[in-house]
Amino acid sequence: MSFKRFGVLFFTLIFLVIVPCAAQNSILTREVLEKPLVQHYIRLYASADWRPGLIASMERGAHFLTFIDSEIAEMGMPWELRYLPLIESNFLPTAVSSAGASGLWQFMQNSMTPFDMRIDDWMDERRDFWKSTQGALSKLKENYDFFGDYYLALAAYNMGLGGLNRLIQESGIDDYWVLAESGLLRNETLRYVPRLIAAAYVLTNASYYGIDLDEPIDHRWTRVPVGRSVDLRLLADRTGMDRDKLLMGNQELVYFITPPARNHYIKVPGFYVERITEALERRDITLLEFHYHTIRSGDTLLALSRHYGVTVDQILSANPGVQERYLRLGSSLMIPAIREVEPFIITRRNPGVFTGEHQVQRGDTLWSLSIAYNVDPESLAEANGMGINDILREGIILRTPAR
């Protein structure tokens, strides 16, 4: 028997002893594990150079694996799929590829819509571990139902169902491993499935390979309705919950502030649900801080949004009834306090000394007079002890700058 053949046989015996591969819905088989490219990635993942990165990725993944495992089991899919986010994103919810894919499962914007995910000023739900996991598994299940094979389903997840189906139709080959050996698959897809197989095998046998993994974190995430805009950092502080844990579960929120829509849910570890729900129902505790800005001449929502680091839509959402094109001087705006900034102030024209006088005529307003005397309406109102929105009575004398 050759040394190479002996090595494969020895490897297979280890596989039979260590991996419960008789488990239902498994894609780890002896035949697949003997594939040269799978063997290559097993050696790579088990190497000392790759070990630290693998451990770091699994530490991040520990927050989500309980949920991912439960979804896989409920759908009756291969358990090895739990490691697919490792291949896609290294279990980083905020990962963004060079092509623009985002999240644990790396959804593109044009592929997320069927799975109840959306992007707006408040959030990018491709980074929602709950929705993206359900979406990715549904997508894989659709691929499997179409091809009747999980290796092809995985290849289609990487290169697209339409692209893989065209390749099968053109080549007449409907076996992933034969396609791989034929050289017809692009390089990324060629390595995609072997990487998953190798990662699943090595991590299942982590202790054998000297990889020290922490015990899984059993978060048992629960979705809790919010019903209003809430800063999750304040919510964690008010309830005594670990802030990092709450933020980790809700990475889809751009500023960790929930949108004003009443149908938004946050993910909370099960043992915090009662405490979080009670805090959300109370109206006597502050769960969102605002900057308060009084509208002055020259202010625009665009300038305010840039200064305070929010979007125009977020300002409008926090101030129902306000119209972007018609800001009422003297009115107040609530602006979500996403970051610490100084108050927004426009440099005003120097009004000089108010040594002149003007008798109010029919049709005069503070705005028209401010233009006539080249002064800000706020300064004109202040010099005359008036409010910016006070009505001028015909015949009264106003102090003005000298013409």
Side-chain angles (χ1 to χ4, degrees):
M1 180 183 297
S2 68
F3 179 79
K4 181 178 179 182
R5 180 63 181 164
F6 174 79
V8 170
L9 178 60
F10 179 71
F11 172 82
T12 303
L13 289 172
I14 291 176
F15 167 74
L16 288 172
V17 171
I18 297 177
V19 179
C21 206
Q24 193 175 4
N25 294 326
S26 174
I27 55 175
L28 287 184
T29 67
R30 282 179 295 179
E31 181 183 2
V32 165
L33 285 166
E34 290 173 0
K35 300 290 184 183
L37 201 51
V38 174
Q39 288 278 308
H40 166 75
Y41 279 109
I42 287 175
R43 289 191 295 271
L44 197 64
Y45 286 134
S47 67
D49 290 340
W50 279 62
R51 200 172 298 156
L54 205 59
I55 292 173
S57 295
M58 292 308 297
E59 285 176 351
R60 288 191 294 268
H63 295 279
F64 313 112
L65 281 172
T66 299
F67 177 77
I68 292 173
D69 288 343
S70 66
E71 292 294 308
I72 289 174
E74 185 174 333
M75 297 180 69
M77 302 175 76
W79 59 268
E80 295 91 345
L81 297 180
R82 75 195 303 260
Y83 296 112
L84 195 57
L86 172 71
I87 308 303
E88 289 285 351
S89 65
N90 288 318
F91 277 112
L92 187 64
T94 55
V96 179
S97 74
S98 58
S102 184
L104 288 178
W105 301 86
Q106 291 290 281
F107 272 93
M108 297 288 290
Q109 288 195 41
N110 61 4
S111 63
M112 68 179 190
T113 306
F115 306 109
D116 190 31
M117 287 183 277
R118 70 180 190 275
I119 301 173
D120 58 28
D121 292 329
W122 298 92
M123 58 191 174
D124 182 345
E125 290 190 316
R126 295 176 299 170
R127 301 183 342 197
D128 183 332
F129 80 85
W130 188 296
K131 284 192 174 184
S132 65
T133 295
Q134 292 179 333
L137 294 179
S138 295
K139 189 175 181 181
L140 283 162
K141 187 66 165 60
E142 289 174 5
N143 292 350
Y144 174 76
D145 291 341
F146 186 86
F147 292 110
D149 178 88
Y150 270 112
Y151 304 117
L152 290 173
L154 285 162
Y157 188 89
N158 178 255
M159 67 178 291
L161 188 149
L164 180 59
N165 189 46
R166 283 192 296 274
L167 180 59
I168 290 173
Q169 297 302 317
E170 292 169 0
S171 67
I173 302 171
D174 60 359
D175 182 292
Y176 169 81
W177 300 104
V178 177
L179 279 172
E181 291 164 3
S182 70
L184 294 174
L185 290 174
R186 64 180 187 179
N187 191 54
E188 181 183 338
T189 307
L190 172 68
R191 298 175 180 275
Y192 187 73
V193 178
R195 287 175 63 198
L196 173 63
I197 298 295
Y201 176 77
V202 170
L203 289 168
T204 303
N205 300 291
S207 59
Y208 174 81
Y209 287 107
I211 300 173
D212 187 17
L213 297 180
D214 292 336
E215 291 295 320
I217 303 172
D218 189 3
H219 276 325
R220 299 291 173 183
W221 294 95
T222 300
R223 295 209 308 168
V224 175
V226 183
R228 56 183 168 132
S229 288
V230 169
D231 188 325
L232 295 193
R233 293 159 293 190
L234 287 179
L235 179 61
D237 294 344
R238 299 291 188 270
T239 58
M241 181 179 173
D242 182 273
R243 179 187 283 198
D244 291 339
K245 197 166 291 185
L246 185 59
L247 300 186
M248 174 63 73
N250 296 276
Q251 292 284 317
E252 70 277 9
L253 297 174
V254 178
Y255 305 103
F256 294 116
I257 294 177
T258 61
R262 291 187 174 275
N263 60 348
H264 185 76
Y265 290 78
I266 59 173
K267 280 81 63 189
V268 179
F271 42 86
Y272 285 111
V273 168
E274 185 176 348
R275 199 184 308 176
I276 292 290
T277 302
E278 180 183 349
L280 290 171
E281 290 175 349
R282 292 178 58 179
R283 291 298 186 263
D284 60 332
I285 57 175
T286 301
L287 293 177
L288 182 61
E289 294 180 346
F290 291 94
H291 299 292
Y292 291 89
H293 177 81
T294 300
I295 297 296
R296 303 192 61 168
S297 56
D299 286 352
T300 66
L301 291 188
L302 181 59
L304 290 170
S305 73
R306 288 175 175 172
H307 179 78
Y308 288 104
V310 298
T311 66
V312 170
D313 284 343
Q314 286 171 329
I315 296 176
L316 292 172
S317 295
N319 298 272
V322 170
Q323 299 182 47
E324 184 174 356
R325 295 181 61 185
Y326 303 103
L327 297 179
R328 185 167 173 263
L329 294 182
S331 62
S332 292
L333 290 179
M334 296 193 306
I335 302 174
I338 289 169
R339 63 186 185 189
E340 291 292 330
V341 294
E342 296 297 319
F344 178 77
I345 299 174
I346 293 179
T347 303
R348 305 291 173 185
R349 297 191 297 272
N350 184 1
V353 181
F354 284 74
T355 57
E357 291 185 344
H358 175 89
Q359 185 174 22
V360 174
Q361 308 295 317
R362 183 187 297 272
D364 282 349
T365 64
L366 282 177
W367 186 262
S368 65
L369 294 177
S370 71
I371 296 173
Y373 288 94
N374 193 31
V375 63
D376 299 307
E378 294 86 0
S379 300
L380 187 59
E382 184 178 345
N384 289 277
M386 302 174 60
I388 190 67
N389 293 306
D390 286 359
I391 297 175
L392 301 182
R393 287 189 297 109
E394 188 177 350
I396 67 170
I397 304 297
L398 296 180
R399 296 175 59 202
T400 65
R403 285 188 181 277

